[in-house]
Amino acid sequence: MVSRRLAPVQEGEVMETPQSRLVAVSNRLPIKLVGHGVDVKVEPGSGGLVTAMAPVLRNRGGLWIGWSGSTDDSTISGLMAEASRQSGYSLHLVSLTREEVRDYYYGFSNEIVWPLFHDLQTRCNFRPQYWYQYLNVNKKFADVIIQNTRLSDFVWVHDYHLMHVAHFLKDYGLSNRLGFFLHIPFPPMDIFMKLPWREKIIKALLDYDLVGFQTIRDRRHFTMCVQRFVPEARLHGRGGVITIRLPDREVRVGVFPISIDFHNFAEDASSKEVADCAWFLHEKFPDMQIVLGIDRLDYTKGIPERFEAFKTTLLRYPELREKITLVQVVVPSREEVEEYRALKGEIERLVGEINGLLSTSGWIPIHYLYKHLSRRDLLAYYRLAEIALVTPLKDGMNLVAKEYCTCNLEENGVLILSEFAGAASQLHKGAILVNPYDVEGISDAIYTAFHMEKGERARRMRWLREHIRRRDIFWWVNTYLKAALSKDLADFPELEDVSSGA
Ligand code: GDG
């Protein structure tokens, strides 16, 4: 099924020459390390991006370059040949030392770019040492790319960890076509200006031939920064992909909202295994509407704010008590970092406070799970929830929102979605949009969702599911590659801009 839907790419409609391969580059390789020490095994990773890229990589003899996630690759490097065989394309390691991981990954990427690009500049730690290590590691990635690519290959670099890779590739004289996609938001210029290395980052991004963003708003923020730091740059065109003309070359800048493998999620959600699990879980919450939150442990996801909003709902609308319950799954993430441990403590304190204040015999307002769910359990929670509460303070896209709708086979669920999630730019017509900082606004949205009639729920959810089905992860990969490799941009439709101008 996967290869059939990617047929245009495989048949050379997009890739120009038969020899041209796709080289994917990301901070982490799409592999899972299972076990420890000498017993460690490497398995191919899963997830939407890998699923969509894998057929293209396999058919074009492609490769994927990235870090293993460990600082000791002595055992892992010996397993790469087998991992490549299992994946069907070749995997290449970029080995990192402990210091590099500390300053490039935890430091520059996660203490500077991550908070800044999510508009949370007060959480940034602008240490010069982080910047030097970021450059050093980006150069290391460029070295591995140089060693493994041919002139006709298209190199597609992913995300904020690697914004400077094209700069080093160009320094080496590499003339391959280079693409970049930013999975997280690009901040407004006033916020971006706080970055001490702002001009260098903008210019480094312009070393790519195609720079992709999740939303029109992100692209607008980027092009405003380009105009500020590169006054000779000229913007041309409208629609999904525009051109920035520089004195010596052109850069394409596009909007490509990432998505999920709709058919795979819908199919798995309809399995007996998932249906049984959903039924079993639902039995535990009789005569109640379930409000679901699923997030990685991260301060951008707005989990404490969501709990405050749920408490406010129960205080402002007491008739909802014992008729509604919030199931919040928090997936462990970056636990080595003190800030994330503190967030976990804050979340647990709030759960205790709200449950202590409002529980009655036989009813608990918030069911809190701190764990990684199996795929079966994840889909079962999606299926059983009457309302999804997806309220990040800011998010590049947010795939949980799309997965929830896809798995809502009965089309009876309601999506409450933050207007600051990239997904809102696509799903605004079917979802109830909220400001994640507005606890009373969210409580009104929960109240509205709770009372929403069956017909209205079905109408909205049908619209949402159809939109996600038409623009799935395969559409995303194809659209990006077409923009990167085709000469003509005429087939790029105008995108609707619903951003509030922030
Ligand atoms: C970044 C950007 C952008 C979650 N809990 C479990 C589980 N998950 C899976 C979900 C979903 C993924 O994790 C989370 O994706 P998001 O998009 O929501 O968020 P980030 O991880 O922050 O991703 C984001 C994305 O990149 C893609 O460009 O949308 O804005 O921040 O797929 O299903 N999976 C399982 N168990 C869990 O408990 N199996």
Side-chain angles (χ1 to χ4, degrees):
M1 183 169 71
V2 165
S3 46
R4 182 173 49 75
R5 286 195 285 134
L6 276 166
V9 176
Q10 292 157 19
E11 286 163 7
E13 184 186 297
V14 170
M15 297 288 192
E16 282 171 344
T17 62
Q19 307 91 321
S20 121
R21 303 175 304 174
L22 176 62
V23 179
V25 185
S26 59
N27 173 54
R28 290 289 293 271
L29 277 175
I31 52 172
K32 275 191 297 199
L33 303 182
V34 186
H36 295 285
V38 285
D39 290 330
V40 75
K41 286 200 179 65
V42 178
E43 291 177 3
S46 51
L49 185 61
V50 191
T51 313
M53 303 276 276
V56 191
L57 289 164
R58 282 188 202 118
N59 281 282
R60 310 296 304 191
L63 41 141
W64 200 312
I65 292 168
W67 171 46
S68 67
S70 163
T71 51
D72 176 8
D73 284 344
S74 50
T75 316
I76 298 163
S77 52
L79 302 168
M80 293 314 285
E82 172 57 16
S84 299
R85 201 192 54 74
Q86 282 186 35
S87 304
Y89 48 87
S90 81
L91 298 161
H92 295 265
L93 272 180
V94 179
S95 293
L96 299 183
T97 65
R98 223 177 260 279
E99 290 69 36
E100 286 166 346
V101 171
R102 187 190 61 207
D103 292 345
Y104 143 81
Y105 177 69
Y106 288 110
F108 198 82
S109 303
N110 290 329
E111 280 184 31
I112 297 179
V113 186
W114 180 265
L116 189 76
F117 281 34
H118 287 88
D119 301 353
L120 299 167
Q121 72 263 33
T122 53
R123 288 183 181 260
C124 292
N125 187 357
F126 294 116
R127 275 201 202 165
Q129 176 57 24
Y130 290 170
W131 165 246
Y132 297 121
Q133 200 63 268
Y134 185 75
L135 293 181
N136 170 45
V137 171
N138 273 242
K139 188 162 175 296
K140 265 190 149 179
F141 272 78
D143 290 338
V144 178
I145 295 169
I146 291 274
Q147 287 153 20
N148 291 286
T149 44
R150 304 198 285 248
L151 188 61
S152 55
D153 294 343
F154 174 65
V155 181
W156 187 359
V157 178
H158 288 265
D159 228 358
Y160 62 104
H161 317 86
L162 302 173
M163 292 185 284
H164 247 75
V165 168
H167 168 82
F168 291 112
L169 291 172
K170 290 264 156 88
D171 248 16
Y172 286 137
L174 192 96
S175 57
N176 291 52
R177 282 164 303 178
L178 307 171
F180 178 81
F181 183 77
L182 186 70
H183 289 255
I184 65 173
F186 195 91
M189 188 161 77
D190 282 358
I191 291 179
F192 185 75
M193 294 292 280
K194 308 281 188 318
L195 183 66
W197 309 279
R198 58 204 187 180
E199 188 170 341
K200 290 192 169 74
I201 295 271
I202 291 295
K203 290 185 172 162
L205 286 170
L206 292 176
D207 280 326
Y208 289 95
D209 299 300
L210 173 65
V211 183
F213 295 95
Q214 301 271 25
T215 68
I216 289 186
R217 174 162 50 193
D218 298 320
R219 183 178 67 185
R220 189 193 316 130
H221 293 160
F222 174 70
T223 53
M224 285 174 78
C225 291
V226 169
Q227 287 173 313
R228 166 75 174 71
F229 292 112
V230 190
E232 63 276 23
R234 295 281 171 273
L235 267 51
H236 288 270
R238 304 185 64 198
V241 182
I242 61 168
T243 304
I244 296 180
R245 290 205 183 125
L246 301 168
D248 55 339
R249 51 193 291 275
E250 283 190 0
V251 181
R252 289 177 180 185
V253 189
V255 178
F256 310 96
I258 200 166
S259 195
I260 60 166
D261 184 345
F262 177 93
H263 291 282
N264 183 260
F265 268 94
E267 214 168 282
D268 287 358
S270 70
S271 70
K272 184 173 176 326
E273 215 193 351
V274 169
D276 287 350
C277 182
W279 179 253
F280 173 78
L281 289 169
H282 214 276
E283 289 287 278
K284 296 186 186 247
F285 305 99
D287 307 319
M288 230 177 279
Q289 286 198 25
I290 291 171
V291 183
L292 179 68
I294 294 190
D295 307 85
R296 231 172 9 84
L297 178 69
D298 199 286
Y299 51 80
T300 61
K301 300 292 181 184
I303 303 166
E305 292 80 358
R306 187 179 311 160
F307 285 169
E308 288 294 349
F310 193 66
K311 178 174 124 188
T312 306
T313 311
L314 298 171
L315 294 175
R316 291 177 79 214
Y317 301 106
E319 67 271 29
L320 295 191
R321 294 182 199 175
E322 302 186 343
K323 294 199 184 109
I324 197 165
T325 193
L326 172 62
V327 175
Q328 176 65 54
V329 182
V330 175
V331 184
S333 172
R334 302 177 195 167
E335 284 168 294
E336 311 79 348
V337 181
E338 171 50 33
E339 206 171 7
Y340 285 72
R341 280 200 298 273
L343 173 64
K344 180 169 179 268
E346 156 88 346
I347 289 170
E348 285 166 2
R349 187 189 62 73
L350 276 168
V351 172
E353 180 199 303
I354 297 166
N355 284 347
L357 181 72
L358 293 161
S359 291
T360 57
S361 55
W363 176 69
I364 297 173
I366 301 178
H367 287 257
Y368 168 68
L369 289 85
Y370 182 70
K371 63 196 278 204
H372 183 270
L373 299 177
S374 68
R375 186 171 163 87
R376 183 203 65 178
D377 289 358
L378 176 75
L379 300 193
Y381 275 109
Y382 283 148
R383 274 202 72 170
L384 83 108
E386 279 85 2
I387 299 169
L389 197 48
V390 183
T391 55
L393 305 180
K394 184 106 186 199
D395 218 331
M397 178 52 56
N398 195 295
L399 298 179
V400 167
K402 292 186 172 181
E403 292 167 8
Y404 169 70
C405 298
T406 302
C407 295
N408 192 241
L409 306 177
E410 279 82 21
E411 299 185 333
N412 60 358
V414 183
L415 173 65
I416 299 177
L417 179 61
S418 162
E419 61 188 89
F420 304 126
S425 68
Q426 292 183 291
L427 306 182
H428 58 105
K429 281 190 188 148
I432 301 180
L433 292 193
V434 291
N435 171 355
Y437 295 96
D438 176 6
V439 290
E440 292 191 337
I442 296 177
S443 72
D444 290 342
I446 294 173
Y447 183 82
T448 304
F450 181 87
H451 289 290
M452 194 180 284
E453 303 259 314
K454 228 172 127 193
E456 174 72 358
R457 284 176 177 241
R459 192 185 60 73
R460 284 171 176 260
M461 190 49 76
R462 206 167 300 135
W463 186 93
L464 288 165
R465 297 185 79 244
E466 183 55 18
H467 187 92
I468 300 163
R469 189 187 66 74
R470 281 191 284 114
R471 300 205 156 184
D472 66 1
I473 186 73
F474 301 100
W475 169 88
W476 179 79
V477 169
N478 269 327
T479 312
Y480 186 93
L481 290 178
K482 262 191 202 165
L485 302 171
S486 66
K487 300 254 183 285
D488 186 10
L489 290 179
D491 52 343
F492 281 92
E494 294 260 327
L495 290 172
E496 194 180 353
D497 184 2
V498 295
S499 56
S500 50

